[in-house]
Amino acid sequence: MLEAEAGSGDGLALAVLAQYRMATTEQMHLLIAPGARIEQTRRRLMRLRADGLVDRITLPRAGRRRVWWPTAFGVQVAFERPELRGRRPPRLVADPAAARVRVGHALTVTETGLAFLQDARRHGDTCRPLDWIPEVHHSLGAGEAVIPDALLYYQRGKRGRGAMFRAFVEIDRATMGPERLAAKIGAYARLHNHIPALPVGRRRPAVGQWPVEAEEGWRRLYPLFPRVLFVLDGTGPRGVENRVRALHAAASEPALAVFLRTVPVLVAPLVDILRNGPSEPVWRPVHEPDSRIAWTASAAGFAAQ
């Protein structure tokens, strides 16, 4: 019997790594076992590696950190677990060379998710490791899709007693121009308005008689459209301002007015999120970039989320 099957701790570690795609030893420790000694996490990862479920590389800099990812066999085992069943498996890392190409963005996504998880722990809120889901596919039809870097579930209070917040998280490491980043607001607006095509052979009903299945596609997944959070990294204050202003310019488009009145779209530098915590007022609404609010705040002009 595989260790991942025999021990629930090993199984959770494999599920988290399969969902997050990549993580350092320290990130895995803080995600799954912050109250234990880090040696326990190291031994757990080594057992999973011995079983052929995960692999690793060692970064030449930054203290020679080890970075872990799931193998094809590990993904297969992980996605048989109830927590992941029905979700789309991640794009696999084929070998160490491929891992080195993807490691920068992947670790930044993991670090951002960890910031929300640790913030929830500090405030007594509910956000578990598997409530951060990278690369959730949302079809726009005709082969197009919106795939946020992560989908976040976050609930105020414990045991399901507080308000539930959902967010699409886009993480920019300054690898694309500000205009390309800003264009993502339009993609989310299209997703907000997208009505999937009816099945072949099914007639479209008369206006005013839309069936439930003809509603916007996102309503099948979420009771309210998730907030959109842009997290900026890989650039200094001037680069951050350039990107914030590009997002603000995109938000000024008349075609996006209804979307932006309905869905909070916020932006914050990762450095501020890590220093102050994501629940603090470090977020700037893209339509009012001189303001600072908490990402869970009920901003003026937004529908309750």
Side-chain angles (χ1 to χ4, degrees), residues 156-179:
R156 283 285 176 80
K158 295 182 178 179
R159 302 182 184 89
R161 295 177 181 174
M164 170 65 79
F165 294 88
R166 302 166 189 82
F168 294 131
V169 184
E170 288 285 347
I171 297 168
D172 172 56
R173 300 181 62 245
T175 56
M176 66 176 69
E179 291 76 17

Side-chain angles (χ1 to χ4, degrees), residues 93-106:
V93 175
D95 52 42
R100 294 182 191 281
V101 171
R102 295 170 55 181
V103 68
H105 185 266

Side-chain angles (χ1 to χ4, degrees), residues 105 108-109 112 149 169-178 180-182 184 229-235 239-240 242-244 247 267-270:
H105 185 266
T108 303
V109 173
T112 305
D149 286 315
V169 184
E170 288 285 347
I171 297 168
D172 172 56
R173 300 181 62 245
T175 56
M176 66 176 69
R180 281 185 59 199
L181 175 68
K184 292 189 176 186
L229 306 180
F230 287 92
V231 176
L232 306 181
D233 191 33
T235 186
V240 167
N242 287 341
R243 281 163 163 69
V244 170
L247 289 166
V267 56
L270 180 59

Side-chain angles (χ1 to χ4, degrees), residues 41-297:
T41 301
R42 291 194 180 102
R43 289 195 297 269
R44 176 163 286 138
L45 291 167
M46 291 301 293
R47 285 196 299 270
L48 294 173
R49 187 176 187 232
D51 283 334
L53 297 166
V54 307
D55 206 347
R56 74 183 187 199
I57 57 172
T58 301
L59 299 181
R61 300 178 182 177
R64 295 186 60 79
R65 293 184 300 169
R66 288 178 173 175
V67 177
W68 303 83
W69 71 88
T71 63
F73 180 41
V75 169
Q76 177 185 340
V77 172
F79 278 76
E80 290 173 353
R81 292 178 60 87
E83 307 98 310
L84 302 186
R85 195 170 296 145
R87 293 185 182 176
R88 180 179 293 220
R91 293 176 296 167
L92 294 175
V93 175
D95 52 42
R100 294 182 191 281
V101 171
R102 295 170 55 181
V103 68
H105 185 266
L107 292 186
T108 303
V109 173
T110 298
E111 190 69 15
T112 305
L114 180 58
F116 282 96
L117 180 63
Q118 292 179 307
D119 205 49
R121 290 169 179 163
R122 285 192 296 268
H123 292 88
D125 294 333
T126 301
C127 183
R128 301 178 181 87
L130 295 178
D131 289 333
W132 177 264
I133 312 173
E135 298 182 4
V136 179
H137 186 278
H138 299 81
S139 176
L140 290 174
E144 294 186 82
V146 173
I147 307 175
D149 286 315
L151 167 66
L152 169 67
Y153 288 89
Y154 189 105
Q155 190 162 30
R156 283 285 176 80
K158 295 182 178 179
R159 302 182 184 89
R161 295 177 181 174
M164 170 65 79
F165 294 88
R166 302 166 189 82
F168 294 131
V169 184
E170 288 285 347
I171 297 168
D172 172 56
R173 300 181 62 245
T175 56
M176 66 176 69
E179 291 76 17
R180 281 185 59 199
L181 175 68
K184 292 189 176 186
I185 298 178
Y188 281 104
R190 289 170 60 202
L191 176 62
H192 183 264
N193 297 329
H194 175 63
I195 297 175
L198 293 175
V200 176
R202 185 154 187 178
R203 297 182 61 186
R204 189 174 296 278
V207 175
Q209 299 178 353
W210 292 93
V212 172
E213 62 264 31
E215 291 182 341
E216 295 88 344
W218 62 264
R219 294 186 186 276
R220 303 176 188 176
L221 302 172
Y222 316 108
L224 293 169
F225 196 87
R227 298 171 179 229
V228 180
L229 306 180
F230 287 92
V231 176
L232 306 181
D233 191 33
T235 186
R238 180 174 295 180
V240 167
E241 286 303 314
N242 287 341
R243 281 163 163 69
V244 170
R245 296 302 164 185
L247 289 166
H248 176 60
S252 302
E253 292 291 331
L256 299 178
V258 174
F259 173 68
L260 291 167
R261 282 199 301 268
T262 305
V263 178
V265 180
L266 312 173
V267 56
L270 180 59
V271 63
D272 290 349
I273 293 170
L274 296 178
R275 180 173 55 235
N276 301 305
S279 63
E280 295 300 312
V282 297
W283 300 90
R284 303 165 68 172
V286 295
H287 66 293
E288 293 181 356
D290 295 328
S291 303
R292 301 290 192 280
I293 65 172
W295 78 274
T296 54

